[in-house]
Amino acid sequence: MTASQGPTTADDLRRAGLRVTAARVALLETVREGGHLEVEAIASRVRTRVGHISLQAAYEAVGALTAAGLIRRIEPPGSPARFEGRVGDNHHHLVCRSCGLVVDVDCAVGEAPCLTASDDQGFTVDEAEVIYWGLCPGCSAARSS
């Protein structure tokens, strides 16, 4: 790695103590490219990059990457788990009730965890998970026409 290059995906995997494989590199890069993807969509995109990856291997890999803090799992109620590459900043999500589109939204105000519980019951709170529900612009336009 030259001074002008930053850490690579493989470096991130090594630092997390994970074995570097072509499938894991492709999977992590796929998730980091954006979107809030379900495992099936991740596996499909990884297959176009490196060939075969079983759905079970994809589930195991996203589990390991989530546990290592390299990706984030979100699970809006009524929706399958989705994974994203934006980690460590305690952002929140907008979810369309109609089409299921999920987009990131920064914290409304303040510092992480963005919200203070009215009674923390002695917990040391380090994260708040907020989901804003509504209709995306496309679904809103379709409903009004």
Side-chain angles (χ1 to χ4, degrees):
M1 175 169 45
T2 66
S4 64
Q5 294 176 322
T8 66
T9 302
D11 293 332
D12 293 338
L13 290 168
R14 283 187 200 95
R15 274 194 300 280
L18 298 174
R19 200 174 87 233
V20 176
T21 65
R24 278 192 179 158
V25 169
L27 194 145
L28 183 54
E29 288 174 348
T30 296
V31 174
R32 286 180 169 172
E33 285 170 359
H36 298 82
L37 303 172
E38 299 172 22
V39 174
E40 291 81 3
I42 294 168
S44 176
R45 292 182 186 186
V46 169
R47 285 183 197 112
T48 64
R49 291 176 167 204
V50 297
H52 182 73
I53 181 174
S54 71
L55 196 52
Q56 181 62 37
Y59 273 103
E60 290 171 3
V62 296
L65 295 172
T66 301
L70 295 175
I71 63 175
R72 181 178 177 193
R73 175 188 174 114
I74 63 167
E75 202 165 349
S79 173
R82 297 169 185 236
F83 297 86
E84 66 178 340
R86 186 174 170 184
V87 296
D89 67 350
N90 195 221
H91 66 280
H92 307 303
H93 298 94
L94 294 160
V95 180
C96 180
R97 289 186 189 277
S98 183
C99 70
L101 176 68
V102 178
V103 296
D104 293 337
V105 61
D106 291 328
C107 290
V109 293
E111 296 179 22
C114 304
L115 302 174
T116 303
S118 60
D119 181 359
D120 63 21
Q121 303 284 318
F123 281 66
T124 302
V125 178
D126 63 7
E127 182 177 5
E129 186 172 309
V130 175
I131 298 176
Y132 300 96
W133 292 90
L135 294 177
C136 70
C139 290
S140 291
R143 275 213 179 149
S144 63
S145 57

